[in-house]
mmCIF file of all heavy atoms in Angstrom:
data_model
loop_
_atom_site.group_PDB
_atom_site.id
_atom_site.type_symbol
_atom_site.label_atom_id
_atom_site.label_comp_id
_atom_site.label_asym_id
_atom_site.label_seq_id
_atom_site.Cartn_x
_atom_site.Cartn_y
_atom_site.Cartn_z
ATOM 1 N N LEU A 1 21.851 23.930 72.230
ATOM 2 C CA LEU A 1 20.388 24.058 72.208
ATOM 3 C C LEU A 1 19.904 24.608 70.875
ATOM 4 O O LEU A 1 18.975 24.064 70.263
ATOM 5 C CB LEU A 1 19.924 24.975 73.351
ATOM 6 C CG LEU A 1 18.444 25.389 73.328
ATOM 7 C CD1 LEU A 1 17.543 24.168 73.452
ATOM 8 C CD2 LEU A 1 18.154 26.400 74.429
ATOM 9 N N MET A 2 20.531 25.672 70.380
ATOM 10 C CA MET A 2 20.087 26.279 69.126
ATOM 11 C C MET A 2 20.370 25.383 67.925
ATOM 12 O O MET A 2 19.616 25.394 66.955
ATOM 13 C CB MET A 2 20.733 27.653 68.945
ATOM 14 C CG MET A 2 20.250 28.696 69.949
ATOM 15 S SD MET A 2 18.438 28.770 70.088
ATOM 16 C CE MET A 2 17.965 29.235 68.428
ATOM 17 N N ARG A 3 21.446 24.595 67.988
ATOM 18 C CA ARG A 3 21.692 23.622 66.918
ATOM 19 C C ARG A 3 20.572 22.582 66.896
ATOM 20 O O ARG A 3 20.125 22.160 65.817
ATOM 21 C CB ARG A 3 23.049 22.943 67.116
ATOM 22 C CG ARG A 3 24.229 23.794 66.672
ATOM 23 C CD ARG A 3 25.420 22.938 66.268
ATOM 24 N NE ARG A 3 25.872 22.081 67.369
ATOM 25 C CZ ARG A 3 26.884 22.383 68.185
ATOM 26 N NH1 ARG A 3 27.540 23.524 68.030
ATOM 27 N NH2 ARG A 3 27.236 21.558 69.145
ATOM 28 N N GLN A 4 20.121 22.171 68.061
ATOM 29 C CA GLN A 4 19.030 21.195 68.143
ATOM 30 C C GLN A 4 17.714 21.808 67.661
ATOM 31 O O GLN A 4 16.904 21.122 67.026
ATOM 32 C CB GLN A 4 18.881 20.695 69.583
ATOM 33 C CG GLN A 4 20.046 19.833 70.054
ATOM 34 C CD GLN A 4 19.901 19.421 71.509
ATOM 35 O OE1 GLN A 4 19.436 20.185 72.351
ATOM 36 N NE2 GLN A 4 20.291 18.192 71.809
ATOM 37 N N VAL A 5 17.501 23.080 67.956
ATOM 38 C CA VAL A 5 16.297 23.757 67.487
ATOM 39 C C VAL A 5 16.301 23.836 65.962
ATOM 40 O O VAL A 5 15.283 23.577 65.313
ATOM 41 C CB VAL A 5 16.188 25.169 68.104
ATOM 42 C CG1 VAL A 5 15.102 25.989 67.420
ATOM 43 C CG2 VAL A 5 15.917 25.071 69.606
ATOM 44 N N GLU A 6 17.430 24.193 65.381
ATOM 45 C CA GLU A 6 17.532 24.251 63.923
ATOM 46 C C GLU A 6 17.305 22.873 63.306
ATOM 47 O O GLU A 6 16.634 22.747 62.272
ATOM 48 C CB GLU A 6 18.904 24.802 63.521
ATOM 49 C CG GLU A 6 19.076 26.282 63.847
ATOM 50 C CD GLU A 6 20.472 26.787 63.517
ATOM 51 O OE1 GLU A 6 21.301 25.963 63.057
ATOM 52 O OE2 GLU A 6 20.736 27.978 63.707
ATOM 53 N N ASP A 7 17.835 21.845 63.934
ATOM 54 C CA ASP A 7 17.634 20.480 63.454
ATOM 55 C C ASP A 7 16.156 20.108 63.503
ATOM 56 O O ASP A 7 15.623 19.480 62.572
ATOM 57 C CB ASP A 7 18.459 19.519 64.312
ATOM 58 C CG ASP A 7 18.454 18.099 63.776
ATOM 59 O OD1 ASP A 7 18.839 17.906 62.612
ATOM 60 O OD2 ASP A 7 18.052 17.183 64.523
ATOM 61 N N LEU A 8 15.483 20.513 64.575
ATOM 62 C CA LEU A 8 14.049 20.255 64.724
ATOM 63 C C LEU A 8 13.256 20.935 63.606
ATOM 64 O O LEU A 8 12.342 20.339 63.018
ATOM 65 C CB LEU A 8 13.604 20.761 66.106
ATOM 66 C CG LEU A 8 12.143 20.730 66.514
ATOM 67 C CD1 LEU A 8 12.043 20.592 68.031
ATOM 68 C CD2 LEU A 8 11.423 22.005 66.091
ATOM 69 N N ILE A 9 13.612 22.179 63.306
ATOM 70 C CA ILE A 9 12.913 22.929 62.256
ATOM 71 C C ILE A 9 13.107 22.256 60.894
ATOM 72 O O ILE A 9 12.159 22.082 60.127
ATOM 73 C CB ILE A 9 13.402 24.389 62.231
ATOM 74 C CG1 ILE A 9 12.931 25.120 63.491
ATOM 75 C CG2 ILE A 9 12.908 25.113 60.974
ATOM 76 C CD1 ILE A 9 13.548 26.498 63.681
ATOM 77 N N ILE A 10 14.336 21.864 60.589
ATOM 78 C CA ILE A 10 14.630 21.224 59.305
ATOM 79 C C ILE A 10 13.834 19.932 59.150
ATOM 80 O O ILE A 10 13.217 19.675 58.107
ATOM 81 C CB ILE A 10 16.145 20.952 59.172
ATOM 82 C CG1 ILE A 10 16.918 22.263 59.064
ATOM 83 C CG2 ILE A 10 16.435 20.061 57.969
ATOM 84 C CD1 ILE A 10 18.418 22.114 59.184
ATOM 85 N N LYS A 11 13.813 19.116 60.195
ATOM 86 C CA LYS A 11 13.098 17.841 60.124
ATOM 87 C C LYS A 11 11.592 18.053 59.967
ATOM 88 O O LYS A 11 10.917 17.289 59.249
ATOM 89 C CB LYS A 11 13.400 17.006 61.364
ATOM 90 C CG LYS A 11 14.818 16.457 61.385
ATOM 91 C CD LYS A 11 15.111 15.693 62.668
ATOM 92 C CE LYS A 11 16.529 15.122 62.651
ATOM 93 N NZ LYS A 11 16.862 14.436 63.928
ATOM 94 N N ALA A 12 11.058 19.070 60.633
ATOM 95 C CA ALA A 12 9.621 19.348 60.516
ATOM 96 C C ALA A 12 9.258 19.747 59.089
ATOM 97 O O ALA A 12 8.250 19.285 58.535
ATOM 98 C CB ALA A 12 9.218 20.449 61.499
ATOM 99 N N VAL A 13 10.084 20.611 58.482
ATOM 100 C CA VAL A 13 9.813 21.029 57.102
ATOM 101 C C VAL A 13 9.996 19.854 56.140
ATOM 102 O O VAL A 13 9.207 19.663 55.210
ATOM 103 C CB VAL A 13 10.728 22.206 56.704
ATOM 104 C CG1 VAL A 13 10.531 22.564 55.233
ATOM 105 C CG2 VAL A 13 10.434 23.428 57.572
ATOM 106 N N LEU A 14 11.019 19.036 56.377
ATOM 107 C CA LEU A 14 11.244 17.873 55.518
ATOM 108 C C LEU A 14 10.064 16.902 55.553
ATOM 109 O O LEU A 14 9.774 16.232 54.555
ATOM 110 C CB LEU A 14 12.522 17.142 55.949
ATOM 111 C CG LEU A 14 13.851 17.778 55.546
ATOM 112 C CD1 LEU A 14 15.016 17.036 56.185
ATOM 113 C CD2 LEU A 14 14.007 17.800 54.038
ATOM 114 N N SER A 15 9.383 16.835 56.681
ATOM 115 C CA SER A 15 8.269 15.899 56.803
ATOM 116 C C SER A 15 7.129 16.245 55.853
ATOM 117 O O SER A 15 6.317 15.373 55.499
ATOM 118 C CB SER A 15 7.759 15.870 58.249
ATOM 119 O OG SER A 15 7.120 17.091 58.583
ATOM 120 N N ALA A 16 7.035 17.510 55.443
ATOM 121 C CA ALA A 16 5.969 17.936 54.527
ATOM 122 C C ALA A 16 6.503 18.329 53.155
ATOM 123 O O ALA A 16 5.736 18.764 52.301
ATOM 124 C CB ALA A 16 5.208 19.114 55.137
ATOM 125 N N GLU A 17 7.800 18.152 52.950
ATOM 126 C CA GLU A 17 8.435 18.647 51.725
ATOM 127 C C GLU A 17 7.834 18.032 50.462
ATOM 128 O O GLU A 17 7.501 18.741 49.505
ATOM 129 C CB GLU A 17 9.935 18.354 51.761
ATOM 130 C CG GLU A 17 10.664 18.763 50.484
ATOM 131 C CD GLU A 17 12.081 18.224 50.436
ATOM 132 O OE1 GLU A 17 12.405 17.316 51.224
ATOM 133 O OE2 GLU A 17 12.850 18.693 49.584
ATOM 134 N N LEU A 18 7.672 16.715 50.433
ATOM 135 C CA LEU A 18 7.233 16.033 49.217
ATOM 136 C C LEU A 18 5.853 16.512 48.777
ATOM 137 O O LEU A 18 5.643 16.841 47.600
ATOM 138 C CB LEU A 18 7.220 14.518 49.433
ATOM 139 C CG LEU A 18 6.746 13.680 48.237
ATOM 140 C CD1 LEU A 18 7.643 13.928 47.023
ATOM 141 C CD2 LEU A 18 6.714 12.202 48.604
ATOM 142 N N GLN A 19 4.912 16.566 49.727
ATOM 143 C CA GLN A 19 3.548 16.972 49.375
ATOM 144 C C GLN A 19 3.496 18.410 48.889
ATOM 145 O O GLN A 19 2.812 18.723 47.908
ATOM 146 C CB GLN A 19 2.619 16.798 50.590
ATOM 147 C CG GLN A 19 2.406 15.354 51.006
ATOM 148 C CD GLN A 19 3.458 14.854 51.979
ATOM 149 O OE1 GLN A 19 4.541 15.434 52.113
ATOM 150 N NE2 GLN A 19 3.148 13.768 52.669
ATOM 151 N N ILE A 20 4.216 19.300 49.560
ATOM 152 C CA ILE A 20 4.173 20.714 49.182
ATOM 153 C C ILE A 20 4.914 20.942 47.863
ATOM 154 O O ILE A 20 4.454 21.694 46.997
ATOM 155 C CB ILE A 20 4.756 21.594 50.299
ATOM 156 C CG1 ILE A 20 3.915 21.446 51.570
ATOM 157 C CG2 ILE A 20 4.794 23.052 49.872
ATOM 158 C CD1 ILE A 20 4.447 22.217 52.764
ATOM 159 N N ALA A 21 6.058 20.289 47.695
ATOM 160 C CA ALA A 21 6.814 20.434 46.439
ATOM 161 C C ALA A 21 5.993 19.929 45.253
ATOM 162 O O ALA A 21 5.997 20.541 44.179
ATOM 163 C CB ALA A 21 8.135 19.674 46.543
ATOM 164 N N THR A 22 5.272 18.840 45.441
ATOM 165 C CA THR A 22 4.421 18.304 44.375
ATOM 166 C C THR A 22 3.302 19.281 44.026
ATOM 167 O O THR A 22 3.014 19.528 42.850
ATOM 168 C CB THR A 22 3.808 16.958 44.808
ATOM 169 O OG1 THR A 22 4.867 16.029 45.099
ATOM 170 C CG2 THR A 22 2.936 16.377 43.698
ATOM 171 N N ALA A 23 2.680 19.858 45.062
ATOM 172 C CA ALA A 23 1.609 20.832 44.829
ATOM 173 C C ALA A 23 2.143 22.076 44.131
ATOM 174 O O ALA A 23 1.478 22.643 43.254
ATOM 175 C CB ALA A 23 0.950 21.205 46.151
ATOM 176 N N CYS A 24 3.359 22.502 44.492
ATOM 177 C CA CYS A 24 3.952 23.681 43.856
ATOM 178 C C CYS A 24 4.188 23.451 42.368
ATOM 179 O O CYS A 24 3.972 24.343 41.545
ATOM 180 C CB CYS A 24 5.265 24.050 44.544
ATOM 181 S SG CYS A 24 5.070 24.796 46.185
ATOM 182 N N LYS A 25 4.636 22.246 42.012
ATOM 183 C CA LYS A 25 4.875 21.943 40.602
ATOM 184 C C LYS A 25 3.576 21.988 39.803
ATOM 185 O O LYS A 25 3.562 22.348 38.622
ATOM 186 C CB LYS A 25 5.525 20.568 40.470
ATOM 187 C CG LYS A 25 6.980 20.533 40.935
ATOM 188 C CD LYS A 25 7.566 19.135 40.804
ATOM 189 C CE LYS A 25 9.008 19.105 41.294
ATOM 190 N NZ LYS A 25 9.584 17.731 41.216
ATOM 191 N N MET A 26 2.470 21.623 40.455
ATOM 192 C CA MET A 26 1.183 21.588 39.771
ATOM 193 C C MET A 26 0.551 22.966 39.647
ATOM 194 O O MET A 26 -0.042 23.304 38.618
ATOM 195 C CB MET A 26 0.217 20.657 40.513
ATOM 196 C CG MET A 26 0.599 19.191 40.473
ATOM 197 S SD MET A 26 -0.535 18.182 41.454
ATOM 198 C CE MET A 26 -2.085 18.481 40.604
ATOM 199 N N PHE A 27 0.667 23.786 40.698
ATOM 200 C CA PHE A 27 -0.122 25.017 40.768
ATOM 201 C C PHE A 27 0.699 26.302 40.748
ATOM 202 O O PHE A 27 0.139 27.389 40.672
ATOM 203 C CB PHE A 27 -0.992 25.005 42.036
ATOM 204 C CG PHE A 27 -1.893 23.822 42.124
ATOM 205 C CD1 PHE A 27 -1.683 22.839 43.069
ATOM 206 C CD2 PHE A 27 -2.961 23.684 41.253
ATOM 207 C CE1 PHE A 27 -2.520 21.727 43.157
ATOM 208 C CE2 PHE A 27 -3.809 22.589 41.329
ATOM 209 C CZ PHE A 27 -3.593 21.607 42.278
ATOM 210 N N VAL A 28 2.018 26.196 40.847
ATOM 211 C CA VAL A 28 2.855 27.403 40.903
ATOM 212 C C VAL A 28 3.861 27.348 39.759
ATOM 213 O O VAL A 28 4.967 26.820 39.919
ATOM 214 C CB VAL A 28 3.582 27.525 42.259
ATOM 215 C CG1 VAL A 28 4.341 28.854 42.338
ATOM 216 C CG2 VAL A 28 2.611 27.398 43.407
ATOM 217 N N PRO A 29 3.509 27.871 38.591
ATOM 218 C CA PRO A 29 4.423 27.782 37.443
ATOM 219 C C PRO A 29 5.707 28.577 37.628
ATOM 220 O O PRO A 29 6.740 28.225 37.082
ATOM 221 C CB PRO A 29 3.584 28.347 36.287
ATOM 222 C CG PRO A 29 2.527 29.183 36.944
ATOM 223 C CD PRO A 29 2.232 28.522 38.243
ATOM 224 N N HIS A 30 5.636 29.651 38.394
ATOM 225 C CA HIS A 30 6.827 30.474 38.646
ATOM 226 C C HIS A 30 7.161 30.366 40.138
ATOM 227 O O HIS A 30 6.690 31.158 40.956
ATOM 228 C CB HIS A 30 6.579 31.920 38.237
ATOM 229 C CG HIS A 30 6.103 32.062 36.822
ATOM 230 N ND1 HIS A 30 6.927 31.833 35.738
ATOM 231 C CD2 HIS A 30 4.898 32.387 36.306
ATOM 232 C CE1 HIS A 30 6.258 32.011 34.618
ATOM 233 N NE2 HIS A 30 5.019 32.350 34.936
ATOM 234 N N LYS A 31 7.948 29.372 40.481
ATOM 235 C CA LYS A 31 8.164 29.040 41.889
ATOM 236 C C LYS A 31 8.870 30.138 42.668
ATOM 237 O O LYS A 31 8.752 30.220 43.885
ATOM 238 C CB LYS A 31 8.956 27.737 42.014
ATOM 239 C CG LYS A 31 10.347 27.770 41.370
ATOM 240 C CD LYS A 31 11.016 26.404 41.492
ATOM 241 C CE LYS A 31 12.413 26.421 40.876
ATOM 242 N NZ LYS A 31 13.060 25.087 40.961
ATOM 243 N N ALA A 32 9.597 31.025 41.968
ATOM 244 C CA ALA A 32 10.289 32.106 42.669
ATOM 245 C C ALA A 32 9.337 33.196 43.134
ATOM 246 O O ALA A 32 9.751 34.129 43.822
ATOM 247 C CB ALA A 32 11.367 32.708 41.773
ATOM 248 N N ASN A 33 8.061 33.096 42.761
ATOM 249 C CA ASN A 33 7.079 34.118 43.136
ATOM 250 C C ASN A 33 6.459 33.863 44.503
ATOM 251 O O ASN A 33 5.664 34.674 44.964
ATOM 252 C CB ASN A 33 5.952 34.179 42.098
ATOM 253 C CG ASN A 33 6.431 34.768 40.787
ATOM 254 O OD1 ASN A 33 7.573 35.182 40.675
ATOM 255 N ND2 ASN A 33 5.549 34.800 39.806
ATOM 256 N N CYS A 34 6.761 32.750 45.123
ATOM 257 C CA CYS A 34 6.064 32.364 46.357
ATOM 258 C C CYS A 34 7.037 32.185 47.517
ATOM 259 O O CYS A 34 8.188 31.807 47.335
ATOM 260 C CB CYS A 34 5.282 31.073 46.144
ATOM 261 S SG CYS A 34 3.953 31.198 44.954
ATOM 262 N N PHE A 35 6.513 32.437 48.702
ATOM 263 C CA PHE A 35 7.239 32.115 49.930
ATOM 264 C C PHE A 35 6.195 31.865 51.013
ATOM 265 O O PHE A 35 5.020 32.202 50.860
ATOM 266 C CB PHE A 35 8.186 33.254 50.340
ATOM 267 C CG PHE A 35 7.475 34.527 50.752
ATOM 268 C CD1 PHE A 35 7.180 34.774 52.080
ATOM 269 C CD2 PHE A 35 7.107 35.473 49.799
ATOM 270 C CE1 PHE A 35 6.531 35.943 52.459
ATOM 271 C CE2 PHE A 35 6.457 36.640 50.164
ATOM 272 C CZ PHE A 35 6.177 36.877 51.506
ATOM 273 N N GLU A 36 6.623 31.263 52.119
ATOM 274 C CA GLU A 36 5.703 30.983 53.221
ATOM 275 C C GLU A 36 6.372 31.314 54.542
ATOM 276 O O GLU A 36 7.525 30.946 54.777
ATOM 277 C CB GLU A 36 5.294 29.509 53.214
ATOM 278 C CG GLU A 36 4.198 29.155 54.195
ATOM 279 C CD GLU A 36 2.827 29.610 53.745
ATOM 280 O OE1 GLU A 36 2.362 29.123 52.699
ATOM 281 O OE2 GLU A 36 2.222 30.450 54.437
ATOM 282 N N LEU A 37 5.637 32.033 55.394
ATOM 283 C CA LEU A 37 6.109 32.337 56.746
ATOM 284 C C LEU A 37 5.418 31.397 57.724
ATOM 285 O O LEU A 37 4.186 31.310 57.736
ATOM 286 C CB LEU A 37 5.797 33.792 57.103
ATOM 287 C CG LEU A 37 6.074 34.193 58.567
ATOM 288 C CD1 LEU A 37 7.572 34.138 58.878
ATOM 289 C CD2 LEU A 37 5.516 35.592 58.857
ATOM 290 N N TYR A 38 6.207 30.711 58.529
ATOM 291 C CA TYR A 38 5.670 29.793 59.533
ATOM 292 C C TYR A 38 6.026 30.290 60.940
ATOM 293 O O TYR A 38 7.085 30.887 61.148
ATOM 294 C CB TYR A 38 6.253 28.387 59.365
ATOM 295 C CG TYR A 38 5.972 27.732 58.035
ATOM 296 C CD1 TYR A 38 6.966 27.641 57.062
ATOM 297 C CD2 TYR A 38 4.732 27.177 57.757
ATOM 298 C CE1 TYR A 38 6.722 27.021 55.840
ATOM 299 C CE2 TYR A 38 4.479 26.558 56.534
ATOM 300 C CZ TYR A 38 5.475 26.482 55.588
ATOM 301 O OH TYR A 38 5.228 25.880 54.380
ATOM 302 N N GLY A 39 5.154 29.993 61.877
ATOM 303 C CA GLY A 39 5.439 30.249 63.282
ATOM 304 C C GLY A 39 5.657 28.926 63.999
ATOM 305 O O GLY A 39 4.715 28.145 64.170
ATOM 306 N N PHE A 40 6.887 28.639 64.392
ATOM 307 C CA PHE A 40 7.215 27.392 65.092
ATOM 308 C C PHE A 40 7.121 27.621 66.601
ATOM 309 O O PHE A 40 7.766 28.529 67.132
ATOM 310 C CB PHE A 40 8.634 26.942 64.740
ATOM 311 C CG PHE A 40 8.727 26.120 63.488
ATOM 312 C CD1 PHE A 40 8.458 26.680 62.244
ATOM 313 C CD2 PHE A 40 9.079 24.779 63.549
ATOM 314 C CE1 PHE A 40 8.544 25.927 61.080
ATOM 315 C CE2 PHE A 40 9.176 24.014 62.394
ATOM 316 C CZ PHE A 40 8.901 24.584 61.156
ATOM 317 N N ASP A 41 6.337 26.796 67.269
ATOM 318 C CA ASP A 41 6.245 26.848 68.726
ATOM 319 C C ASP A 41 7.056 25.700 69.308
ATOM 320 O O ASP A 41 6.774 24.524 69.031
ATOM 321 C CB ASP A 41 4.791 26.754 69.185
ATOM 322 C CG ASP A 41 3.990 27.994 68.810
ATOM 323 O OD1 ASP A 41 4.619 29.030 68.517
ATOM 324 O OD2 ASP A 41 2.750 27.931 68.827
ATOM 325 N N VAL A 42 8.057 26.049 70.108
ATOM 326 C CA VAL A 42 9.005 25.074 70.626
ATOM 327 C C VAL A 42 9.023 25.123 72.148
ATOM 328 O O VAL A 42 9.094 26.202 72.746
ATOM 329 C CB VAL A 42 10.423 25.345 70.081
ATOM 330 C CG1 VAL A 42 11.433 24.361 70.660
ATOM 331 C CG2 VAL A 42 10.434 25.268 68.554
ATOM 332 N N LEU A 43 8.928 23.938 72.747
ATOM 333 C CA LEU A 43 9.038 23.811 74.205
ATOM 334 C C LEU A 43 10.395 23.203 74.538
ATOM 335 O O LEU A 43 10.824 22.247 73.878
ATOM 336 C CB LEU A 43 7.919 22.921 74.743
ATOM 337 C CG LEU A 43 7.957 22.653 76.252
ATOM 338 C CD1 LEU A 43 7.479 23.877 77.018
ATOM 339 C CD2 LEU A 43 7.088 21.438 76.604
ATOM 340 N N ILE A 44 11.063 23.731 75.538
ATOM 341 C CA ILE A 44 12.358 23.208 75.980
ATOM 342 C C ILE A 44 12.151 22.490 77.300
ATOM 343 O O ILE A 44 11.528 23.049 78.221
ATOM 344 C CB ILE A 44 13.379 24.351 76.146
ATOM 345 C CG1 ILE A 44 13.499 25.152 74.835
ATOM 346 C CG2 ILE A 44 14.751 23.800 76.555
ATOM 347 C CD1 ILE A 44 14.266 26.449 74.983
#
């Protein structure tokens, strides 16, 4: 179950990776200065 949950989280982040990575290159010159906390709601 937890392996599947981790897989779900990875796929969800990958779905938005390109757009966010592109925006970071444009607006965040020092990429190590930023992080994001997300709250994932999962139903079993």
Side-chain angles (χ1 to χ4, degrees):
L1 171 62
M2 292 311 298
R3 281 207 301 263
Q4 291 177 323
V5 169
E6 290 177 359
D7 187 57
L8 175 152
I9 291 170
I10 292 169
K11 289 177 179 177
V13 175
L14 284 173
S15 69
E17 177 191 15
L18 179 60
Q19 293 88 342
I20 298 177
T22 301
C24 287
K25 288 179 181 178
M26 293 176 61
F27 303 111
V28 185
H30 306 289
K31 60 183 181 181
N33 289 357
C34 296
F35 66 94
E36 188 75 63
L37 172 66
Y38 300 104
F40 274 67
D41 292 342
V42 178
L43 177 76
I44 304 169

